[in-house]
Amino acid sequence: MLENTVVIGIGNDHRGDDAFGLLTVRNIKKIISNKVCCYEHSSDATGLISLWQKEKVVFLIDAIYSKDPCGTIYCLDLKKEILPNEWFYSTHSFNIAQVIELAQILDQMPKKILLYGVVGKNFEIGEKISPKVFQAIETLTTEIIKDINSF
Amino acid sequence: MTSKTIKVDYLARVEGEGGLYIKVKDEKVTEVKLKIFEPPRFFEAFLRGRNFTEVPDITARICGICPVAYQMSAVHAMENALGVRVDGQLRELRRLLYCGEWIESHTLHVYMLHAPDFLGYQSSIHMAKDFPDIVKQGLELKKAGNEIVRVVGGREIHPINVRVGGFYKIPSKKDLLVLAEKLKRARDLALETVKWVAKFNFPDFTQDYLFVSLAHENEYPFNEGRIVSSNGLNIDIKEYEDYFVEEHVKHSNALHSQMKTGENYFVGPLARYSLNFDKLSPLTKETALDIGLSKTCKNPFQSIIIRSLEILYALDEALRIINSYETPEQPAIKLEIKSSKGYGATEAPRGMIYHHYKIDDDGLVLEAKIVPPTSQNQKTIERDLWNFVPDRLDLPLDELTWQCEQAIRNYDPCISCATHYLKLTLDKE
């Protein structure tokens, strides 16, 4: 078990591409649940702080809004790079970029925190996940497990 | 002739997406529109053809803030349809789960969404720079609610352990006793929260509201009760549609609810508190009276105090349930499927939520109707603004706009639920 390593998939199963983070973390859990803590998160993002504040390494996975082609994968080190606010749509008062800012102010950032984002195009309720976003699940699962094992 | 327009294109610190437009002509308010432009989500249509067992988890997805309210209303409506009643410790566990959701949701609103209004900050992120310990306190309190939902509901968000007839898995007494230790500390924080918000400055804005909430013979309402009002209504939940009606208005994608007699009404913490004060725990009642609150509250700006008192109550109630908990023999009762109709209403943090379903012999949903609290409060929010603005027309436009937004946030509107949202425009000629 890699103590203090946590993987958090963010999203909503019923909003098309927004399911990406949840599906990916479930995939990771199937393969290496014995090694890391895996969480699914679907509510206001302030709850994320309680999931990571004592952890040393955090992997966040979410679908993002961007003009880039659907399925484009981003990986950002949030201790070094600024998270674009416009990447996130949240119906729940706080998005991830705002919560990262709050965690920085409160000195509650983990030692290391990486965001893996995939550009989605369809976030409507009841829609299916886009094929290119679906393909990214396997790609990122492999990539994240590789990264986890490298720590 | 003079005119003024108050316009907020995108209301901040509310859940979902909406706006506000107010027009003032010759020092009189001539138009108020709470615009909810988040697209309709057609959940009711989405449910048709699904098995009744799926409904609690699907409806829970309507809202990430109050999934328990949707789950509980759905399971109660389905159990009503099937003619069964969940009682004893299973009922207590459901009540405990609801305590968790109230603590999570109310704490989010008190600390992160509403307190910045009273302290003059644009957001809680700005507030956190000057008051980091206060914001940390809020996050710690909210976490106590998360813990309850995790232990009883199976995970912190969108609990997966609830089913029609009971639960999939029941927690042990040991699990709950570990939880109780954390809740005792949280109850101290809740008490501090009440005392903190009670010191805020509140605009003098007492209104004559028609309050509506559930009321139960022996307890402050979460999961069940009769529908009562401040003007004497006292009906069974299944009679809801005989007395209340929804209508479509052009400027909103959320339906507006009103009494069939044409009156707007008010659901939520103020209504619950004012109609059920005597059912609060002794500590909560004593605290309310100590800070100078009376047994009814008709100033919506003081809703932050009532929410804080309800957090305190929820923690008291959670500890009471845990102390007397005995592990049930079965996690759920048996169900026999039959063609029928069922009705359920519970008290979401924002107010009463009503569900009605019709299922066939195979348990498939034929009809679904969901009326969330924000839909029910929309007309009252607009009415507040009609009454709030005239006495404040001398304020600079930005100050007036800020206060109008605050008047909306008094309701902790959940626009995603109501469509389910909000942006503000003040038009002053």
Side-chain angles (χ1 to χ4, degrees):
Chain A
M1 185 82 174
L2 292 170
E3 285 185 15
N4 296 332
T5 297
V6 61
V7 184
I8 307 171
I10 300 162
N12 186 327
D13 276 317
H14 295 282
R15 276 186 176 268
D17 293 342
D18 201 22
F20 171 77
L22 303 180
L23 294 172
T24 306
V25 78
R26 283 172 202 156
N27 218 23
I28 291 170
K29 194 174 177 181
K30 273 188 222 162
I31 301 166
I32 56 159
S33 65
N34 58 330
K35 291 187 84 173
V36 294
C37 286
C38 294
Y39 295 108
E40 295 181 25
H41 194 84
S42 304
S43 182
D44 83 285
T46 57
L48 289 169
I49 296 179
S50 68
L51 295 179
W52 75 47
Q53 58 190 342
K54 291 177 183 173
E55 307 294 339
K56 290 180 181 172
V57 182
V58 176
F59 297 82
L60 295 176
I61 312 163
D62 199 3
I64 60 176
Y65 281 92
S66 164
K67 288 175 182 168
D68 294 327
C70 178
T72 304
I73 295 172
Y74 283 94
C75 177
L76 267 66
D77 182 337
L78 302 184
K79 295 294 288 276
K80 296 176 183 166
E81 296 165 274
I82 293 172
L83 196 51
N85 196 44
E86 63 273 17
W87 269 11
F88 300 98
Y89 169 80
S90 172
T91 61
H92 296 118
S93 311
F94 284 86
N95 65 34
I96 299 172
Q98 291 164 323
V99 165
I100 295 294
E101 191 182 349
L102 184 63
Q104 284 166 341
I105 292 167
L106 298 177
D107 193 24
Q108 293 195 344
M109 286 285 276
K111 185 177 174 185
K112 190 169 185 67
I113 180 164
L114 301 169
L115 174 94
Y116 297 83
V118 167
V119 177
K121 67 172 183 182
N122 185 3
F123 293 85
E124 294 302 315
I125 206 85
E127 293 293 324
K128 288 184 179 169
I129 194 165
S130 310
K132 287 190 175 172
V133 173
F134 190 75
Q135 283 170 17
I137 294 171
E138 284 303 325
T139 310
L140 262 189
T141 298
T142 307
E143 190 66 29
I144 292 170
I145 289 174
K146 199 171 108 187
D147 284 353
I148 288 170
N149 286 327
S150 72
F151 286 108
Chain B
M1 182 188 296
T2 57
S3 68
K4 187 186 270 185
T5 303
I6 299 173
K7 184 179 179 187
V8 175
D9 288 334
Y10 188 87
L11 279 166
R13 285 184 275 130
V14 297
E15 198 286 331
E17 295 175 358
L20 179 65
Y21 178 88
I22 300 174
K23 189 166 185 176
V24 177
K25 196 172 179 181
D26 295 336
E27 302 301 306
K28 284 185 180 169
V29 177
T30 58
E31 205 172 339
V32 174
K33 287 178 178 169
L34 180 62
K35 296 181 172 179
I36 292 189
F37 43 76
E38 185 162 306
R41 297 167 67 178
F42 305 119
F43 254 103
E44 282 119 328
F46 186 54
L47 290 169
R48 285 201 287 271
R50 306 299 288 251
N51 193 283
F52 78 100
T53 56
E54 296 179 276
V55 173
D57 285 338
I58 293 174
T59 56
R61 295 290 175 170
I62 291 176
C63 184
I65 304 286
C66 46
V68 172
Y70 282 92
Q71 281 188 328
M72 286 297 140
S73 304
V75 294
H76 281 287
M78 292 304 181
E79 287 158 7
N80 179 256
L82 300 175
V84 296
R85 180 178 166 80
V86 171
D87 241 319
Q89 292 296 314
L90 290 175
R91 181 180 184 277
E92 290 285 85
L93 278 177
R94 286 182 168 180
R95 215 171 146 73
L96 179 58
L97 184 59
Y98 230 132
C99 290
E101 175 154 291
W102 274 26
I103 297 163
E104 283 180 337
S105 177
H106 277 349
T107 305
L108 177 70
H109 191 257
V110 167
Y111 279 88
M112 312 303 283
L113 307 179
H114 213 193
D117 279 332
F118 294 96
L119 299 174
Y121 291 95
Q122 195 184 334
S123 75
S124 57
I125 294 172
H126 295 84
M127 191 174 98
K129 289 174 186 165
D130 293 338
F131 295 102
D133 290 340
I134 290 279
V135 175
K136 281 181 188 171
Q137 179 172 296
L139 291 173
E140 186 181 348
L141 189 51
K142 184 169 178 287
K143 194 176 177 185
N146 293 356
E147 283 289 298
I148 296 176
V149 176
R150 182 183 63 77
V151 172
V152 183
R155 62 183 184 191
E156 294 183 8
I157 311 297
H158 292 308
I160 48 172
N161 192 28
V162 172
R163 67 165 153 165
V164 181
F167 290 90
Y168 289 99
K169 189 182 170 194
I170 39 183
S172 67
K173 177 89 178 177
K174 190 180 164 192
D175 293 334
L176 296 188
L177 288 175
V178 171
L179 179 61
E181 291 309 307
K182 296 174 184 172
L183 300 185
K184 285 176 191 165
R185 154 80 180 152
R187 185 169 56 181
D188 293 340
L189 294 179
L191 200 52
E192 286 175 32
T193 304
V194 176
K195 291 174 184 169
W196 174 57
V197 299
K199 291 179 193 157
F200 291 168
N201 288 321
F202 299 100
D204 182 12
F205 187 67
T206 298
Q207 298 292 290
D208 187 20
Y209 292 118
L210 173 55
F211 287 139
V212 173
S213 80
L214 293 179
H216 187 274
E217 197 179 348
N218 302 317
E219 57 197 25
Y220 201 71
F222 283 146
N223 283 54
E224 64 177 324
R226 290 176 66 80
I227 298 172
V228 302
S229 78
S230 50
N231 69 351
L233 183 76
N234 186 331
I235 59 170
D236 191 273
I237 289 166
K238 70 182 178 193
E239 296 176 278
Y240 174 87
E241 289 171 62
D242 296 335
Y243 290 86
F244 299 88
V245 65
E246 290 178 296
E247 62 170 11
H248 183 255
V249 293
K250 264 187 177 176
H251 61 270
S252 177
N253 282 342
L255 296 171
H256 276 203
S257 295
Q258 60 181 24
M259 304 288 297
K260 280 195 172 172
T261 49
E263 299 155 282
N264 58 296
Y265 62 101
F266 185 127
V267 298
L270 260 65
R272 270 194 303 261
Y273 175 89
S274 300
L275 295 170
N276 298 279
F277 178 87
D278 290 342
K279 302 294 187 305
L280 286 165
S281 63
L283 174 64
T284 312
K285 280 192 277 195
E286 185 188 322
T287 306
L289 298 175
D290 278 353
I291 57 168
L293 216 57
S294 65
K295 293 181 181 181
T296 60
C297 179
K298 295 184 173 183
N299 182 346
F301 288 89
Q302 291 183 311
S303 63
I304 193 168
I305 305 179
I306 307 295
R307 281 191 187 87
S308 303
L309 286 164
E310 287 196 336
I311 296 168
L312 180 62
Y313 170 74
L315 283 155
D316 242 0
E317 178 67 356
L319 286 163
R320 182 197 66 76
I321 292 167
I322 292 171
N323 283 339
S324 57
Y325 181 68
E326 289 171 20
T327 312
E329 287 182 11
Q330 299 293 331
I333 58 173
K334 283 187 179 172
L335 305 170
E336 283 184 27
I337 302 165
K338 60 179 181 182
S339 168
S340 55
K341 278 185 180 179
Y343 308 85
T346 68
E347 285 287 345
R350 288 152 194 82
M352 189 178 71
I353 175 169
Y354 168 80
H355 286 216
H356 155 209
Y357 300 98
K358 183 177 178 185
I359 56 173
D360 68 13
D361 283 329
D362 296 320
L364 301 181
V365 175
L366 300 172
E367 273 177 28
K369 183 181 176 73
I370 298 172
V371 188
T374 298
S375 292
Q376 298 179 76
N377 279 337
Q378 274 184 97
K379 267 191 183 302
T380 300
I381 297 173
E382 289 183 352
R383 167 89 178 275
D384 273 5
L385 292 162
W386 279 99
N387 295 336
F388 184 73
V389 172
D391 291 340
R392 292 162 178 84
L393 284 171
D394 292 340
L395 290 173
L397 187 60
D398 58 346
E399 175 63 19
L400 181 55
T401 301
W402 171 284
Q403 289 197 15
C404 287
E405 285 191 84
Q406 188 178 354
I408 293 165
R409 280 192 286 271
N410 288 336
Y411 287 80
D412 188 12
C414 192
I415 286 162
S416 291
C417 282
T419 54
H420 306 261
Y421 176 18
L422 190 61
K423 285 180 180 185
L424 172 62
T425 307
L426 173 52
D427 194 355
K428 195 172 181 182
E429 284 182 10

